Amino acid sequence: MKTSYHFFAFDLGATSGRSLLAKIEDNTITFRELTRFPNKITKVHGQYHWNIFALFEALKDGLKAAVAQGLKIDAIGIDTWGVDFVYLGKDGCILSEPRCYRDPYTDGIPEEYFNVIPKKEVYEATGIQIMNFNSLYQLFAAKKEHSSALEAATGILFMPDALSYLLTGKKVCEYTIASTSQLLNPRTKTFESKLFEAIPLSSSLMQPIVMPGEVIGELTESIMKECGIGPVPVIAVAGHDTGSAVVAVPTDNENFAYLSSGTWSLMGIEVKDPIINEESFALNFTNEGGVNGTTRFLKNITGMWLLEQCRKEWESTGLQYSYEQIVNLSDTAEGFRSLIDPDHESFANPESMTEAIRAYCRRTAQEVPASHAEFIRCIFDSLALKYRKVLESLQQLAPFKIEKLHVIGGGSQNRLLNQSTANSIGIPVVSGPSEATAIGNIMMQAKGIGLVNALCDIRKMVRNSVEPEIFFPEDTLAWTEAYYRFSQILANKYEPLNIKL
């Protein structure tokens, strides 16, 4: 009887990607990274694109590295960020490089679309947070600019589905990734035809929906030959990276909120049914697909994107900081000296993030960060305070009392930010696993081959495999005072800030 299983996970983020080889044995998960590579946005004639074929080559490189380990791989799973997609031609070829969600071609597009179908009607049909880069508005923008790829398209595939298509030749649309598009009805779990007709397009461009844990197909003969691998099934994991990450929350009850911390911070709760009402519409919360019939009710918050862009600027001058150095630098700077709204439109994709932060602070009558430590502290303090604001709104809508916040993903390794978040929100913060997305990917592969089934069993195995750290609230008075000031800044009431931590 087989006692150990090996899984290949391809985890693709908006700034980098990696492949991992995992082993499940004795109800525990272990894994190691095989390859890591940058995922760069390419600017061509003023348009921002992803290089899908470079990503496919990186995927095959990862498979070759896995084969070199001499182990039989039981399954393959792919997760990526949401909303972006490729167009397929009638011969099955990808017609163009996918546009990047940070491309400004969608600026102002939602407002134009709402002239056709009102904003509230769009939200009621989808339950999705209105963000200009949602797939719905990307398609509307592409139609408006007479995209030759869209005009010739006979099909559309979201990013993880496009990569699985290149591996298997099978065209599917995984549910969690489709749910990010604002094209899907979360109640019926089908695409909403009227939203396509308003563009106008046909919903027949979309592929059949498959649920997380379903088998997409086996590797094609050409892939097996090129990578030196046998017939391995490709599983539809939770293709949206946040969907995979939430699978790996090591909780033993339902009274929690999660914060998936990476380039984006996504804060939410897990519920059975979508929450779509006047309040969720007013607060612009989103209902995205989860695994095993769950809904991820959440809000997108700009996360480490702010810091990543600052780091790029500093690296261009020859200064490279490790993650540990960044945290240590932040701890040397005065707290609450400068605060920003991480979700302000000026931080979406500026030419210079440091200058955008300076400009925001000047506009809001605050001290302007000068040193790298001050920029880092400004970002961390602002994120922790924004988390409180979102969590307060989330609690208003949650059908249960939120007792703790699970921070998962790469940002969970930032102990200073974890402690700041606990201080800010006033409830315990449980950090880890930092590799939540990869673990969730692996566990849904395990579900796909019948190794596990129930979500509670999956999370029990995660708890067997990781040791989270708990942070309890401290300095609550200072953080409450800072939150009051932060709220004034967001409400455009600018006054100098003199709180010290």
Side-chain angles (χ1 to χ4, degrees):
M1 181 180 175
K2 189 167 181 175
T3 58
S4 63
Y5 298 81
H6 295 91
F7 302 94
F8 176 86
F10 193 68
D11 175 26
L12 189 55
T15 55
S16 66
R18 72 263 181 81
S19 61
L20 306 102
L21 186 62
K23 180 180 181 180
I24 292 182
E25 186 175 35
D26 297 328
N27 285 318
T28 59
I29 313 153
T30 56
F31 58 90
R32 60 183 179 275
E33 190 174 284
L34 295 170
T35 62
R36 180 176 285 270
F37 53 91
N39 183 20
K40 296 181 179 178
I41 300 170
T42 303
K43 188 175 182 180
V44 182
H45 301 310
Q47 297 181 352
Y48 294 84
H49 295 265
W50 301 109
N51 189 336
I52 184 70
F53 298 111
L55 297 175
F56 182 48
E57 287 300 315
L59 173 53
K60 290 187 291 183
D61 288 343
L63 285 173
K64 292 171 186 175
V67 169
Q69 303 295 312
L71 301 169
K72 182 185 181 301
I73 299 171
D74 292 288
I76 295 166
I78 302 167
D79 67 79
T80 77
W81 68 95
V83 307
D84 291 341
F85 52 84
V86 302
Y87 300 112
L88 295 180
K90 61 182 179 180
D91 60 355
C93 287
I94 292 174
L95 295 175
S96 67
E97 296 282 21
R99 291 286 275 273
C100 171
Y101 65 89
R102 293 197 182 275
D103 193 309
Y105 81 132
T106 57
D107 287 353
I109 291 297
E111 290 70 28
E112 292 186 36
Y113 186 88
F114 298 148
N115 289 328
V116 186
I117 297 183
K119 178 179 179 179
K120 189 173 182 181
E121 188 175 338
V122 173
Y123 184 81
E124 288 174 345
T126 64
I128 293 294
Q129 180 178 359
I130 307 296
M131 303 186 82
N132 71 301
F133 53 66
N134 291 347
S135 311
L136 172 62
Y137 311 120
Q138 290 201 47
L139 286 170
F140 194 71
K143 186 74 171 180
K144 182 181 177 182
E145 66 181 19
H146 304 292
S147 163
S148 59
L150 175 56
E151 289 175 356
T154 60
I156 287 173
L157 290 172
F158 295 105
M159 293 299 290
D161 303 324
L163 291 168
S164 67
Y165 168 67
L166 293 172
L167 286 182
T168 67
K170 305 295 184 182
K171 294 181 282 188
V172 301
C173 185
E174 188 276 322
Y175 173 61
T176 69
I177 202 75
S179 73
T180 68
S181 66
Q182 202 156 43
L183 294 165
L184 193 77
N185 186 312
R187 301 180 183 92
T188 64
K189 295 179 172 55
T190 59
F191 289 106
E192 192 69 36
S193 295
K194 68 179 180 181
L195 300 178
F196 288 86
E197 292 165 1
I199 294 176
L201 289 172
S202 170
S203 60
S204 65
L205 286 168
M206 311 311 294
Q207 311 308 311
I209 296 283
V210 297
M211 291 296 170
E214 291 187 33
V215 177
I216 296 171
E218 290 190 341
L219 299 175
T220 63
E221 291 289 341
S222 62
I223 292 294
M224 287 191 285
K225 183 177 179 180
E226 181 180 352
C227 297
I229 193 171
V232 181
V234 177
I235 307 294
V237 300
H240 186 213
D241 50 11
T242 307
S244 277
V246 173
V247 171
V249 172
T251 185
D252 58 1
N253 65 56
E254 299 177 348
N255 294 356
F256 70 94
Y258 59 82
L259 176 68
S260 181
S261 179
T263 300
W264 284 92
S265 291
L266 298 102
M267 180 180 284
I269 56 175
E270 191 174 68
V271 291
K272 272 189 169 185
D273 301 309
I275 300 174
I276 304 174
N277 53 39
E278 291 285 347
E279 195 171 8
S280 68
F281 171 64
L283 293 170
N284 204 20
F285 271 82
T286 203
N287 292 267
E288 293 179 353
V291 304
N292 285 31
T294 60
T295 294
R296 293 177 289 119
F297 183 71
L298 59 90
K299 195 173 186 67
N300 289 272
I301 309 164
T302 299
M304 292 302 168
W305 165 255
L306 301 164
L307 180 59
E308 288 163 4
Q309 295 307 105
C310 289
R311 288 177 75 183
K312 283 184 181 179
E313 289 185 46
W314 299 333
E315 286 173 5
S316 69
T317 67
L319 286 171
Q320 291 189 324
Y321 296 119
S322 69
Y323 207 78
E324 183 179 1
Q325 288 173 319
I326 284 172
V327 172
N328 290 338
L329 269 175
S330 177
D331 211 17
T332 67
E334 179 184 335
F336 310 135
R337 182 176 182 272
S338 310
L339 299 172
I340 60 173
D341 179 2
D343 292 323
H344 192 270
E345 60 185 9
S346 62
F347 304 131
N349 195 18
E351 291 293 329
S352 167
M353 184 62 77
T354 55
E355 182 50 42
I357 291 172
R358 289 190 191 99
Y360 185 97
C361 290
R362 285 193 291 266
R363 286 197 305 272
T364 52
Q366 300 183 82
E367 292 187 56
V368 177
S371 69
H372 294 179
E374 289 171 353
F375 276 103
I376 296 167
R377 187 57 182 261
C378 168
I379 291 169
F380 288 171
D381 284 350
S382 300
L383 283 173
L385 292 166
K386 188 63 181 262
Y387 296 157
R388 173 171 174 173
K389 185 170 185 63
V390 174
L391 189 68
E392 287 182 351
S393 298
L394 191 60
Q395 184 62 86
Q396 293 176 34
L397 295 158
F400 53 82
K401 180 175 175 57
I402 298 171
E403 298 173 349
K404 56 189 173 182
L405 176 68
H406 281 270
V407 180
I408 52 179
S412 69
Q413 299 175 86
N414 187 332
R415 299 187 77 255
L416 176 62
L417 183 54
N418 290 337
Q419 185 61 63
S420 295
T421 301
N423 298 347
S424 178
I425 66 177
I427 60 175
V429 166
V430 183
S431 70
S434 61
E435 300 287 358
T437 301
I439 293 173
N441 179 319
I442 293 158
M443 291 311 302
M444 293 313 292
Q445 291 183 58
K447 184 178 188 295
I449 67 168
L451 193 57
V452 291
N453 186 32
L455 189 53
C456 60
D457 293 334
I458 289 172
R459 287 176 171 156
K460 182 178 180 180
M461 192 178 293
V462 175
R463 293 196 300 275
N464 290 341
S465 308
V466 301
E467 294 183 12
E469 184 175 6
I470 303 177
F471 298 82
F472 294 97
E474 300 173 355
D475 303 318
T476 53
L477 178 58
W479 278 91
T480 298
E481 291 174 354
Y483 182 65
Y484 173 73
R485 174 59 184 150
F486 178 75
S487 299
Q488 286 187 312
I489 290 170
L490 268 58
N492 297 324
K493 297 176 182 178
Y494 310 139
E495 296 175 9
L497 178 66
N498 295 308
I499 298 171
K500 293 184 180 181
L501 182 64

